[in-house]
Amino acid sequence: DVKVTQSSRYLVKRTGEKVFLECVQDMDHENMFWYRQDPGLGLRLIYFSYDVKMKEKGDIPEGYSVSREKKERFSLILESASTNQTSMYLCASTNRASGQNTQYFGPGTRLTVL
Amino acid sequence: SQKIEQNSEALNIQEGKTATLTCNYTNYSPAYLQWYRQDPGRGPVFLLLIRENEKEKRKERLKVTFDTTLKQSLFHITASQPADSATYLCAPRGYSSASKIIFGSGTRLSIRP
């Protein structure tokens, strides 16, 4: 059974704190993604990675950075958390095969920035 | 820019009826279209994929159609059950694995007993 795990289900941080969200997949997938999901806005792509040490900006990268040091792990970093980064964060992975590839999602991390 | 539109209004259906959800896209020519289910507080789960050269795809009580002329996909759940209540997302996709997935904002479906 394929699995994508995220380090926390719920997280509460203060404005200005550095926040790390971790995602691990056990499917040997090349591609990994970070999204945020907000009511009425749907899923928005923050960053994605096609390979170890590679990263590409998505639609809303401002205020975020990522790290992919190992194939199975993709980290999202909020350098200085702000209240407008309160959201549900979802990690996903796919294999490289083709555009047919489906995305496997983690359970999500609900981040609240106070 | 590419745009995906799903019915933002929640859909309320009587148990046993067929639920039909709509996904329209503009400024895009996807090679595939995926449908996902998302339960509250959880990540989306893949349900079905349909290719641009397929008119219709079925899986148990689910049916998806893909009309590239209308730029529309319809998602049907027949004999709906309260357990089908969830948000359903459509995600058009290009040929290349390098093309990122764009998701619609989803339609919330409620099946009342």
Side-chain angles (χ1 to χ4, degrees), chain B residues 6 9 12 15 19 23 27 30-32 36-37 43 53-54 56 59 64 66 68 70 76 83 94 99 104 106 108 113:
Chain B
Q6 293 187 254
E9 300 281 332
N12 294 296
E15 182 177 7
C23 174
N27 299 322
Y32 312 97
Y36 290 76
R37 169 185 172 139
N53 61 353
E54 295 176 318
E56 182 180 296
K59 180 181 177 183
V64 172
F66 194 5
T68 55
L70 291 179
H76 306 272
S99 61
R108 191 175 54 181

Side-chain angles (χ1 to χ4, degrees), chain B residues 50-108:
Chain B
I50 187 166
R51 296 172 174 77
E52 62 176 344
N53 61 353
E54 295 176 318
K55 296 294 183 188
E56 182 180 296
K57 195 83 168 278
R58 291 175 185 261
K59 180 181 177 183
E60 298 173 353
R61 294 183 297 109
L62 307 180
K63 185 178 87 171
V64 172
T65 62
F66 194 5
D67 189 325
T68 55
T69 302
L70 291 179
K71 293 187 178 295
Q72 181 182 79
S73 175
L74 298 178
F75 178 84
H76 306 272
I77 305 175
T78 58
S80 59
Q81 305 167 0
D84 295 326
S85 298
T87 296
Y88 292 86
L89 310 173
C90 73
R93 187 92 158 103
Y95 277 111
S96 167
S97 63
S99 61
K100 63 192 181 191
I101 288 183
I102 303 171
F103 284 87
S105 55
T107 298
R108 191 175 54 181

